[in-house]
Amino acid sequence: MQDTKLTVRPASLADVPSLVELRLANAEAHLALDAGTYRVPQREAVVRHFTAMLTDEAGRDGVLVAEADDGRVLGMIEVLVHSDPPEHRILRPEPSAQVHTVVLPDARGLGVGSALLLAAERWATGRGILYLSAGIYHRNVDAVRFYSRHGYTSAGLSLGKSLD
C-alpha cells in the first residue's frame, strides 16, 4: 500500500457503506479507550446519519473521503459547521466548525489523515470558516499527536460533573 495513489474527494451516497464501517470501527477503538464514555452506535442510525448528510441540499456540513487508486476508501473526515451563538450569549460570532477524522488502521502512517485534514481545511476556507476545532479524548494520544502536528493547539478546558 506504500505506493498507493490517494484521491481526496467529497463523499457521495455510494460511499455510505464505507463511511458506516469507518464510524463503527472508530467507535470500537474509542470503546477500548473508555467504555464509560463511548458506545458503538446502531448501524442503521449511522446509515441514516450519513445518508441525511449527503442528501442535504443546503450542504451545510461536509464529508470528504480518501480513496486509494483501487477504489478502496481508506479514511474520511467530517466537517461539522457550528451555528453562531444566539444574540443573548457573550461569545462573538465566528464562522467555525469541528472536524472528525477516521483512517483505517492499515492505512495509518501513509499520509491519509494529513491529506484529509488539508482538504477539510480548504473546504472550510472556501465556505468562509475561520476556525476549526477537533474534539479529542485526552487518552487518545495518537489523535492528540496527529492534530498537534498539524498546528491544532489546546483551546480551553471543558469541565464536567456526573449527576447520577
Side-chain angles (χ1 to χ4, degrees), residues 61-81:
D61 298 321
V63 183
L64 305 170
V65 295
E67 182 179 66
D69 52 2
D70 64 1
R72 181 175 175 223
V73 173
L74 303 176
M76 70 163 181
I77 190 164
E78 286 180 275
V79 185
L80 306 173
V81 179

PDB file of all heavy atoms in Angstrom, residues 61-81:
ATOM      1  N   ASP A  61     -22.809  20.937   6.149  1.00  0.00           N
ATOM      2  CA  ASP A  61     -21.663  20.182   6.641  1.00  0.00           C
ATOM      3  C   ASP A  61     -21.017  19.434   5.485  1.00  0.00           C
ATOM      4  O   ASP A  61     -21.629  19.242   4.438  1.00  0.00           O
ATOM      5  CB  ASP A  61     -22.105  19.188   7.721  1.00  0.00           C
ATOM      6  CG  ASP A  61     -22.706  19.872   8.944  1.00  0.00           C
ATOM      7  OD1 ASP A  61     -22.182  20.926   9.344  1.00  0.00           O
ATOM      8  OD2 ASP A  61     -23.694  19.348   9.489  1.00  0.00           O
ATOM      9  N   GLY A  62     -19.785  18.998   5.697  1.00  0.00           N
ATOM     10  CA  GLY A  62     -19.088  18.288   4.637  1.00  0.00           C
ATOM     11  C   GLY A  62     -18.538  16.948   5.100  1.00  0.00           C
ATOM     12  O   GLY A  62     -18.213  16.778   6.268  1.00  0.00           O
ATOM     13  N   VAL A  63     -18.465  16.018   4.162  1.00  0.00           N
ATOM     14  CA  VAL A  63     -17.811  14.738   4.388  1.00  0.00           C
ATOM     15  C   VAL A  63     -16.900  14.503   3.190  1.00  0.00           C
ATOM     16  O   VAL A  63     -17.353  14.530   2.037  1.00  0.00           O
ATOM     17  CB  VAL A  63     -18.807  13.559   4.497  1.00  0.00           C
ATOM     18  CG1 VAL A  63     -18.065  12.257   4.798  1.00  0.00           C
ATOM     19  CG2 VAL A  63     -19.866  13.820   5.540  1.00  0.00           C
ATOM     20  N   LEU A  64     -15.633  14.300   3.469  1.00  0.00           N
ATOM     21  CA  LEU A  64     -14.654  14.010   2.424  1.00  0.00           C
ATOM     22  C   LEU A  64     -14.086  12.628   2.681  1.00  0.00           C
ATOM     23  O   LEU A  64     -13.975  12.190   3.829  1.00  0.00           O
ATOM     24  CB  LEU A  64     -13.528  15.042   2.449  1.00  0.00           C
ATOM     25  CG  LEU A  64     -13.942  16.506   2.345  1.00  0.00           C
ATOM     26  CD1 LEU A  64     -12.748  17.414   2.619  1.00  0.00           C
ATOM     27  CD2 LEU A  64     -14.541  16.797   0.999  1.00  0.00           C
ATOM     28  N   VAL A  65     -13.739  11.933   1.598  1.00  0.00           N
ATOM     29  CA  VAL A  65     -13.129  10.611   1.736  1.00  0.00           C
ATOM     30  C   VAL A  65     -11.785  10.597   1.035  1.00  0.00           C
ATOM     31  O   VAL A  65     -11.550  11.335   0.071  1.00  0.00           O
ATOM     32  CB  VAL A  65     -14.023   9.484   1.179  1.00  0.00           C
ATOM     33  CG1 VAL A  65     -15.302   9.351   1.983  1.00  0.00           C
ATOM     34  CG2 VAL A  65     -14.330   9.689  -0.292  1.00  0.00           C
ATOM     35  N   ALA A  66     -10.908   9.737   1.546  1.00  0.00           N
ATOM     36  CA  ALA A  66      -9.626   9.469   0.903  1.00  0.00           C
ATOM     37  C   ALA A  66      -9.750   8.093   0.269  1.00  0.00           C
ATOM     38  O   ALA A  66     -10.054   7.113   0.949  1.00  0.00           O
ATOM     39  CB  ALA A  66      -8.492   9.488   1.927  1.00  0.00           C
ATOM     40  N   GLU A  67      -9.535   8.057  -1.036  1.00  0.00           N
ATOM     41  CA  GLU A  67      -9.733   6.835  -1.798  1.00  0.00           C
ATOM     42  C   GLU A  67      -8.420   6.406  -2.443  1.00  0.00           C
ATOM     43  O   GLU A  67      -7.717   7.221  -3.037  1.00  0.00           O
ATOM     44  CB  GLU A  67     -10.798   7.099  -2.865  1.00  0.00           C
ATOM     45  CG  GLU A  67     -11.160   5.916  -3.712  1.00  0.00           C
ATOM     46  CD  GLU A  67     -12.249   6.295  -4.710  1.00  0.00           C
ATOM     47  OE1 GLU A  67     -11.990   7.121  -5.605  1.00  0.00           O
ATOM     48  OE2 GLU A  67     -13.355   5.755  -4.576  1.00  0.00           O
ATOM     49  N   ALA A  68      -8.106   5.115  -2.317  1.00  0.00           N
ATOM     50  CA  ALA A  68      -6.928   4.558  -2.975  1.00  0.00           C
ATOM     51  C   ALA A  68      -7.221   4.385  -4.457  1.00  0.00           C
ATOM     52  O   ALA A  68      -8.383   4.405  -4.882  1.00  0.00           O
ATOM     53  CB  ALA A  68      -6.575   3.216  -2.344  1.00  0.00           C
ATOM     54  N   ASP A  69      -6.174   4.193  -5.247  1.00  0.00           N
ATOM     55  CA  ASP A  69      -6.372   4.049  -6.692  1.00  0.00           C
ATOM     56  C   ASP A  69      -7.168   2.800  -7.058  1.00  0.00           C
ATOM     57  O   ASP A  69      -7.716   2.712  -8.147  1.00  0.00           O
ATOM     58  CB  ASP A  69      -5.041   4.091  -7.453  1.00  0.00           C
ATOM     59  CG  ASP A  69      -4.014   3.112  -6.921  1.00  0.00           C
ATOM     60  OD1 ASP A  69      -4.320   2.352  -5.981  1.00  0.00           O
ATOM     61  OD2 ASP A  69      -2.891   3.120  -7.444  1.00  0.00           O
ATOM     62  N   ASP A  70      -7.308   1.852  -6.118  1.00  0.00           N
ATOM     63  CA  ASP A  70      -8.132   0.665  -6.385  1.00  0.00           C
ATOM     64  C   ASP A  70      -9.593   0.876  -5.982  1.00  0.00           C
ATOM     65  O   ASP A  70     -10.398  -0.041  -6.043  1.00  0.00           O
ATOM     66  CB  ASP A  70      -7.557  -0.566  -5.675  1.00  0.00           C
ATOM     67  CG  ASP A  70      -7.583  -0.448  -4.151  1.00  0.00           C
ATOM     68  OD1 ASP A  70      -8.059   0.579  -3.614  1.00  0.00           O
ATOM     69  OD2 ASP A  70      -7.114  -1.398  -3.485  1.00  0.00           O
ATOM     70  N   GLY A  71      -9.954   2.107  -5.550  1.00  0.00           N
ATOM     71  CA  GLY A  71     -11.326   2.435  -5.196  1.00  0.00           C
ATOM     72  C   GLY A  71     -11.659   2.229  -3.723  1.00  0.00           C
ATOM     73  O   GLY A  71     -12.757   2.580  -3.282  1.00  0.00           O
ATOM     74  N   ARG A  72     -10.750   1.687  -2.959  1.00  0.00           N
ATOM     75  CA  ARG A  72     -10.995   1.446  -1.535  1.00  0.00           C
ATOM     76  C   ARG A  72     -10.938   2.757  -0.758  1.00  0.00           C
ATOM     77  O   ARG A  72      -9.996   3.536  -0.896  1.00  0.00           O
ATOM     78  CB  ARG A  72      -9.939   0.485  -1.000  1.00  0.00           C
ATOM     79  CG  ARG A  72     -10.106   0.133   0.455  1.00  0.00           C
ATOM     80  CD  ARG A  72      -9.069  -0.919   0.857  1.00  0.00           C
ATOM     81  NE  ARG A  72      -9.137  -1.182   2.273  1.00  0.00           N
ATOM     82  CZ  ARG A  72      -8.095  -1.302   3.067  1.00  0.00           C
ATOM     83  NH1 ARG A  72      -6.870  -1.220   2.570  1.00  0.00           N
ATOM     84  NH2 ARG A  72      -8.249  -1.530   4.344  1.00  0.00           N
ATOM     85  N   VAL A  73     -11.954   3.013   0.056  1.00  0.00           N
ATOM     86  CA  VAL A  73     -11.984   4.196   0.911  1.00  0.00           C
ATOM     87  C   VAL A  73     -11.129   3.899   2.137  1.00  0.00           C
ATOM     88  O   VAL A  73     -11.411   2.981   2.897  1.00  0.00           O
ATOM     89  CB  VAL A  73     -13.424   4.575   1.301  1.00  0.00           C
ATOM     90  CG1 VAL A  73     -13.436   5.704   2.324  1.00  0.00           C
ATOM     91  CG2 VAL A  73     -14.218   4.984   0.058  1.00  0.00           C
ATOM     92  N   LEU A  74     -10.073   4.697   2.313  1.00  0.00           N
ATOM     93  CA  LEU A  74      -9.110   4.491   3.397  1.00  0.00           C
ATOM     94  C   LEU A  74      -9.388   5.351   4.616  1.00  0.00           C
ATOM     95  O   LEU A  74      -8.879   5.073   5.701  1.00  0.00           O
ATOM     96  CB  LEU A  74      -7.691   4.782   2.899  1.00  0.00           C
ATOM     97  CG  LEU A  74      -7.224   3.976   1.691  1.00  0.00           C
ATOM     98  CD1 LEU A  74      -5.847   4.437   1.252  1.00  0.00           C
ATOM     99  CD2 LEU A  74      -7.235   2.494   2.008  1.00  0.00           C
ATOM    100  N   GLY A  75     -10.170   6.411   4.439  1.00  0.00           N
ATOM    101  CA  GLY A  75     -10.461   7.295   5.552  1.00  0.00           C
ATOM    102  C   GLY A  75     -11.493   8.330   5.176  1.00  0.00           C
ATOM    103  O   GLY A  75     -11.882   8.453   4.005  1.00  0.00           O
ATOM    104  N   MET A  76     -11.944   9.042   6.188  1.00  0.00           N
ATOM    105  CA  MET A  76     -12.933  10.109   5.983  1.00  0.00           C
ATOM    106  C   MET A  76     -12.682  11.219   6.977  1.00  0.00           C
ATOM    107  O   MET A  76     -12.018  11.040   7.997  1.00  0.00           O
ATOM    108  CB  MET A  76     -14.345   9.566   6.180  1.00  0.00           C
ATOM    109  CG  MET A  76     -14.663   9.235   7.620  1.00  0.00           C
ATOM    110  SD  MET A  76     -16.438   9.093   7.872  1.00  0.00           S
ATOM    111  CE  MET A  76     -16.479   8.749   9.619  1.00  0.00           C
ATOM    112  N   ILE A  77     -13.226  12.370   6.640  1.00  0.00           N
ATOM    113  CA  ILE A  77     -13.240  13.478   7.588  1.00  0.00           C
ATOM    114  C   ILE A  77     -14.595  14.168   7.463  1.00  0.00           C
ATOM    115  O   ILE A  77     -15.083  14.413   6.360  1.00  0.00           O
ATOM    116  CB  ILE A  77     -12.067  14.463   7.355  1.00  0.00           C
ATOM    117  CG1 ILE A  77     -11.963  15.476   8.497  1.00  0.00           C
ATOM    118  CG2 ILE A  77     -12.167  15.145   6.004  1.00  0.00           C
ATOM    119  CD1 ILE A  77     -10.640  16.214   8.549  1.00  0.00           C
ATOM    120  N   GLU A  78     -15.206  14.408   8.599  1.00  0.00           N
ATOM    121  CA  GLU A  78     -16.448  15.176   8.646  1.00  0.00           C
ATOM    122  C   GLU A  78     -16.091  16.594   9.073  1.00  0.00           C
ATOM    123  O   GLU A  78     -15.255  16.789   9.957  1.00  0.00           O
ATOM    124  CB  GLU A  78     -17.416  14.619   9.686  1.00  0.00           C
ATOM    125  CG  GLU A  78     -18.098  13.339   9.302  1.00  0.00           C
ATOM    126  CD  GLU A  78     -19.034  12.862  10.395  1.00  0.00           C
ATOM    127  OE1 GLU A  78     -18.558  12.182  11.313  1.00  0.00           O
ATOM    128  OE2 GLU A  78     -20.238  13.186  10.326  1.00  0.00           O
ATOM    129  N   VAL A  79     -16.733  17.568   8.468  1.00  0.00           N
ATOM    130  CA  VAL A  79     -16.596  18.966   8.864  1.00  0.00           C
ATOM    131  C   VAL A  79     -17.995  19.419   9.272  1.00  0.00           C
ATOM    132  O   VAL A  79     -18.882  19.543   8.427  1.00  0.00           O
ATOM    133  CB  VAL A  79     -16.049  19.849   7.719  1.00  0.00           C
ATOM    134  CG1 VAL A  79     -15.814  21.271   8.219  1.00  0.00           C
ATOM    135  CG2 VAL A  79     -14.785  19.257   7.122  1.00  0.00           C
ATOM    136  N   LEU A  80     -18.178  19.599  10.562  1.00  0.00           N
ATOM    137  CA  LEU A  80     -19.486  19.947  11.119  1.00  0.00           C
ATOM    138  C   LEU A  80     -19.495  21.419  11.500  1.00  0.00           C
ATOM    139  O   LEU A  80     -18.818  21.832  12.444  1.00  0.00           O
ATOM    140  CB  LEU A  80     -19.789  19.062  12.328  1.00  0.00           C
ATOM    141  CG  LEU A  80     -19.686  17.549  12.055  1.00  0.00           C
ATOM    142  CD1 LEU A  80     -19.834  16.762  13.338  1.00  0.00           C
ATOM    143  CD2 LEU A  80     -20.691  17.124  11.011  1.00  0.00           C
ATOM    144  N   VAL A  81     -20.241  22.209  10.748  1.00  0.00           N
ATOM    145  CA  VAL A  81     -20.265  23.660  10.911  1.00  0.00           C
ATOM    146  C   VAL A  81     -21.071  24.029  12.151  1.00  0.00           C
ATOM    147  O   VAL A  81     -22.183  23.529  12.359  1.00  0.00           O
ATOM    148  CB  VAL A  81     -20.858  24.333   9.653  1.00  0.00           C
ATOM    149  CG1 VAL A  81     -20.924  25.844   9.821  1.00  0.00           C
ATOM    150  CG2 VAL A  81     -20.027  23.958   8.418  1.00  0.00           C
TER     151      VAL A  81
END
